[in-house]
Amino acid sequence: MRQITATVEASVPGETRTSSSQNSALPMLPLPQFLGLSDDQRRGAECVWCSESLTAETARDLGERPSPDGTRMWPRGCTPCVREEALRVSRIHTRHCPRCIRNTEACPDRRALRDLALEGRGRKAEQ
């Protein structure tokens, strides 16, 4: 929980994003503990959350990420897990973001997380 809160809070105070696309929300999704990930999860062959084998069609690229050992990793997630994580982070974000709490202006982070969660809705049944 500590990593999630830090990730969400880091994207809130005074930060503006130029894009509200789903891809801008992907870096906001925290990853599971590095030590608990397999080599296949670290290199993107398996979903970082459920360990499902991924293909180009089923994978969502989560972007290059630093790892605690100083190396880089390229994690990916399956559409259902990315959707669930986006929903979870969105709920946390809206409870802590001053813009979302006041609800006086559009919050690009909330919009991007919502778009990411909604994008995967129809795909769960397809997979």
Side-chain angles (χ1 to χ4, degrees):
M1 183 68 180
R2 186 174 192 191
Q3 180 183 4
I4 295 167
T5 303
T7 301
V8 172
E9 289 174 355
S11 67
V12 172
E15 184 176 327
T16 37
R17 296 188 187 278
T18 57
S19 170
S20 64
S21 72
Q22 296 92 348
N23 289 336
S24 69
L26 289 170
M28 288 189 268
L29 303 182
L31 301 178
Q33 290 289 333
F34 176 78
L35 294 176
L37 298 176
S38 69
D39 288 338
D40 285 340
Q41 288 172 305
R42 291 179 192 155
R43 66 181 176 83
E46 294 178 351
C47 175
V48 292
W49 291 287
C50 72
S51 302
E52 177 182 321
S53 292
L54 298 172
T55 65
E57 294 80 29
T58 63
R60 291 300 312 264
D61 186 357
L62 301 173
E64 183 179 352
R65 307 269 184 119
S67 61
D69 65 1
T71 61
R72 306 296 284 171
M73 61 180 182
W74 294 266
R76 299 189 309 168
C78 66
T79 299
C81 286
V82 168
R83 178 180 184 272
E84 289 302 314
E85 193 65 14
L87 285 170
R88 192 173 68 79
V89 172
S90 178
R91 286 186 205 110
I92 294 168
H93 172 85
T94 56
R95 289 193 309 255
H96 299 303
C97 172
R99 293 169 80 180
C100 292
I101 291 169
R102 286 191 313 265
N103 202 20
T104 57
E105 54 187 294
C107 175
D109 291 341
R110 180 175 75 183
R111 187 172 38 247
L113 286 163
R114 183 181 177 278
D115 289 349
L116 180 61
L118 291 176
E119 177 204 285
R121 277 191 356 186
R123 293 188 189 179
K124 192 169 189 172
E126 296 171 13
Q127 292 182 358

